Amino acid sequence: MDLEEHLHRNGTRIIKFFLHLSKAEQRKRFLERIDEPDKNWKFSLADIHERKYWPHYMKAYEDCLNATSTRHVPWYVVPADDKDNARLIVSRIVLDALNDLKMSYPKTTAKRRRELKSIRKLLAK
């Protein structure tokens, strides 16, 4: 967190996302991995074993997010059961963060316009 605060003080913006999948959606996706040959490679029996620890994982995630979320670098917990909505939410957060940077192209000065005009004449030859 010290690194994140240091980066923030120096102008770097960090956005942290936790894509939260429900246990029911995880089950659905596991079944798709079993039923669809193109997705068989994604499935591992170890995933089924680990599902027994779901409450422990949820508690660990909660503890981790609470311990590592700060005012300047919060976690965004995004419901991920619906992939399209999850992508929309993440996109909105990223766009808002970019807009908050208030970036713009540099203004052209009269001197620079004169310089460009003379360069344009050279290119016309």
Side-chain angles (χ1 to χ4, degrees):
M1 287 190 327
D2 289 341
L3 174 62
E4 291 174 355
E5 292 300 320
H6 169 77
L7 291 171
H8 186 272
R9 279 192 309 274
N10 288 283
T12 299
R13 295 301 173 255
I14 300 169
I15 308 172
K16 300 186 288 191
F17 296 101
F18 177 79
L19 301 177
H20 177 62
L21 199 66
S22 71
K23 191 172 183 182
E25 181 65 17
Q26 184 193 57
R27 177 185 176 277
K28 179 182 154 212
R29 292 185 189 183
F30 283 167
L31 290 171
E32 288 173 0
R33 291 175 185 178
I34 292 168
D35 294 341
E36 295 182 31
D38 289 347
K39 293 187 177 186
N40 288 167
W41 67 272
K42 291 181 174 184
F43 183 75
S44 169
L45 187 57
D47 293 331
I48 300 305
H49 173 73
E50 292 300 316
R51 268 176 69 83
K52 293 185 279 192
Y53 303 107
W54 187 272
H56 302 287
Y57 279 113
M58 292 302 106
K59 176 71 171 114
Y61 292 143
E62 181 182 346
D63 292 347
C64 175
L65 298 177
N66 285 332
T68 59
S69 192
T70 65
R71 181 168 63 93
H72 294 298
V73 189
W75 277 97
Y76 293 91
V77 178
V78 177
D81 285 3
D82 178 336
K83 289 181 182 182
D84 288 341
N85 257 338
R87 291 175 181 141
L88 183 63
I89 292 166
V90 168
S91 298
R92 180 78 265 164
I93 293 167
V94 170
L95 284 173
D96 288 347
L98 287 170
N99 286 332
D100 288 347
L101 294 176
K102 303 200 183 340
M103 296 185 291
S104 63
Y105 290 106
K107 300 283 188 224
T108 301
T109 63
K111 179 182 176 185
R112 177 69 175 151
R113 280 194 298 277
R114 286 191 302 275
E115 179 184 35
L116 290 171
K117 198 172 185 180
S118 66
I119 293 170
R120 178 176 249 298
K121 287 178 184 174
L122 291 173
L123 289 171
K125 295 179 183 180

